[in-house]
Amino acid sequence: MTDGTAGEYRDTPLRPYVLTGGRAGPADTALGVDTLLKAMPHATPLPLSATPQSRALLRLCGGGVLSVAEAAAHLVLPVSVVRILVGDLVATGHLQAHAGSFSEPSMELLKEVLDGLRDL
Amino acid sequence: MAYATSDDPSGEAPAPRRPSARDAPPARAERSASTARDGRRVPYLSESVTRTAKILVVGDFGVGKTTFIGSASEITPLRTEEPMTQASVGVDDLEGLDTKTTTTVAMDFGRITLNPRLALYLFGTPGQRRFWSMWAGLAEGAVGVLVLVDSRRLAGSFEVLDQIETHVPAPFAVAVNHFPDTPRHTADRLREALDLLPEVPIVDCDALDRTSAINALVTVADHAIALRTAKGIPT
Ligand SMILES: Nc1nc2c(ncn2[C@@H]2O[C@H](COP(=O)(O)OP(=O)(O)O)[C@@H](O)[C@H]2O)c(=O)[nH]1
Ligand SMILES: [Mg+2]
């Protein structure tokens, strides 16, 4: 790594698939970096087999609404790993996921973004 | 404030910000609770937010992406590190890669709650070809892309612009970040030097200044609307 790269990339011995039970594929649920997460209020406790990462994610999302990217940053996990964990927790009814940008934004949304920025 | 990532590999200090940006009153939508793994207070979104939008901030190393996001964001900028699988690394870059390690690319991001229902996320990534796989997916569904450029070393931006023009369907605008010794160029000269089409907006920007950063984002949104409007007009 040269000085100019300023920490933007590096090599690590990290093996993320260990955290996700060997899976590296995309989760079933549509999950973008800006998809919003919220813990389901009356979900059953996580099974004993749940990983510490899943527990930490659920605990974090119990405090309020956050995006997938924010959850990843707060948990110090890659977004790709959090996506898989979220997919599992959504499937078991522990987490709710909604919103996120997947396709071309609507004209209405573009205008709302522009108005919002101008009003800041 | 430090990044949420406790072990910044480079020891790079968070980019400095003008006091005006740091001392701004807390965003109206910010709400905190102490549930992060490290016990830090987590700035949750307002419960009323149901929709999101995103803008990418890309550019060569050192052009000011992290600084820009720090100025515009209502939360202390966050960082995640994404491993790039070897399959997704450009073929030309496979050589010399240690097969026992994973190359990790950092993404800085911030958030602006635009109205009670809508949050805008700003994602910053290096725009070079070898990181393409990392931000190709990020650009999908984006309002647009802001390409930050340092006019003292324009050549560093060529590759980034090439990537955008070839691969990114989202609209993009160019922001020339001003450093103290940045020479004054006219927009026309920059357009020529960067070989940009006439419709690509070029805006001056001071990444240390919040108003200036927000103004550059306005340019992106404005341009996205203009392009959409033009597309909608039957020929
Ligand atoms: N004077 C001045 N310095 C800046 C500006 N933007 C960035 N810098 C400095 O340039 C360096 C690189 O900026 P950084 O945001 O880390 O660039 P990145 O690699 O694109 O994320 C840092 O030392 C910043 O403090 C600016 O608008 N004006
Ligand atoms: Mg940076």
Side-chain angles (χ1 to χ4, degrees):
Chain A
M1 181 191 293
T2 64
D3 289 341
T5 60
E8 281 180 316
Y9 75 103
R10 63 169 175 154
D11 293 335
T12 74
L14 181 71
R15 286 293 185 213
Y17 58 75
V18 173
L19 300 179
T20 59
R23 284 164 310 136
D28 292 338
T29 326
L31 296 169
V33 274
D34 58 343
T35 291
L36 299 178
L37 306 174
K38 181 143 197 350
M40 293 290 273
H42 302 295
T44 52
L46 283 175
L48 288 174
S49 59
T51 61
Q53 287 77 19
S54 289
R55 291 180 192 285
L57 175 60
L58 194 56
R59 200 175 323 117
L60 177 69
C61 295
V65 179
L66 284 178
S67 64
V68 167
E70 285 168 292
H74 289 302
L75 296 172
V76 198
L77 289 172
V79 167
S80 55
V81 169
V82 168
R83 271 179 143 125
I84 292 169
L85 299 178
V86 167
D88 288 350
L89 289 172
V90 167
T92 56
H94 291 89
L95 265 190
Q96 224 175 350
H98 67 279
S101 314
F102 303 102
S103 53
E104 218 180 13
S106 68
M107 188 63 149
E108 185 209 355
L109 184 64
L110 293 180
K111 284 182 169 155
E112 207 174 321
V113 168
L114 180 61
D115 290 345
L117 286 168
R118 283 199 167 131
D119 289 348
L120 286 175
Chain B
M1 284 286 288
Y3 287 100
T5 310
S6 49
D7 54 343
D8 192 332
S10 64
E12 174 196 30
R17 291 196 281 162
R18 269 191 195 159
S20 61
R22 200 194 306 271
D23 297 340
R28 55 201 148 129
E30 199 164 319
R31 197 168 67 75
S32 289
S34 302
T35 46
R37 194 178 77 168
D38 57 3
R40 231 188 281 260
R41 294 179 77 79
V42 176
Y44 289 103
L45 271 172
S46 161
E47 300 272 337
S48 61
V49 173
T50 54
R51 287 188 302 157
T52 59
K54 62 184 179 184
I55 291 179
L56 264 59
V57 179
V58 303
D60 195 11
F61 296 114
V63 293
K65 301 181 294 294
T66 302
T67 309
F68 181 96
I69 288 168
S71 294
S73 178
E74 71 191 13
I75 56 170
T76 302
L78 296 167
R79 166 175 284 205
T80 65
E81 291 193 14
E82 199 62 35
M84 292 172 73
T85 60
Q86 297 211 356
S88 65
V89 176
V91 175
D92 52 335
D93 294 308
L94 274 175
E95 238 178 298
L97 255 194
D98 182 345
T99 51
K100 293 219 170 62
T101 63
T102 305
T103 297
T104 301
V105 187
M107 173 175 83
D108 293 311
F109 66 98
R111 185 183 86 197
I112 310 172
T113 303
L114 292 180
N115 68 44
R117 296 163 312 285
L118 175 65
L120 173 68
Y121 285 91
L122 305 174
F123 293 104
T125 61
Q128 285 85 352
R129 184 170 137 72
R130 64 188 182 284
F131 304 120
W132 168 247
S133 66
M134 154 94 189
W135 56 282
L138 264 187
E140 244 162 75
V143 166
V145 179
L146 185 68
V147 183
L148 270 188
V149 163
D150 180 346
S151 66
R152 298 169 304 175
R153 37 191 195 93
L154 278 182
S157 299
F158 293 170
E159 189 182 339
V160 178
L161 287 164
D162 283 349
Q163 289 300 303
I164 303 257
E165 287 174 344
T166 341
H167 299 293
V168 181
F172 75 96
V174 172
V176 183
N177 194 14
H178 278 267
F179 295 84
D181 56 336
T182 295
R184 294 281 145 181
H185 296 282
T186 63
D188 284 347
R189 277 201 52 205
L190 277 174
R191 190 178 300 284
E192 200 180 291
L194 293 172
D195 194 23
L196 295 174
L197 291 173
E199 70 254 26
V200 176
I202 301 178
V203 62
D204 278 321
C205 153
D206 174 357
L208 291 168
D209 182 69
R210 177 167 185 265
T211 307
S212 179
I214 300 292
N215 180 54
L217 297 174
V218 164
T219 304
V220 174
D222 211 13
H223 181 50
I225 290 173
L227 283 185
R228 188 72 60 83
T229 308
K231 212 162 64 174
I233 295 169
T235 47

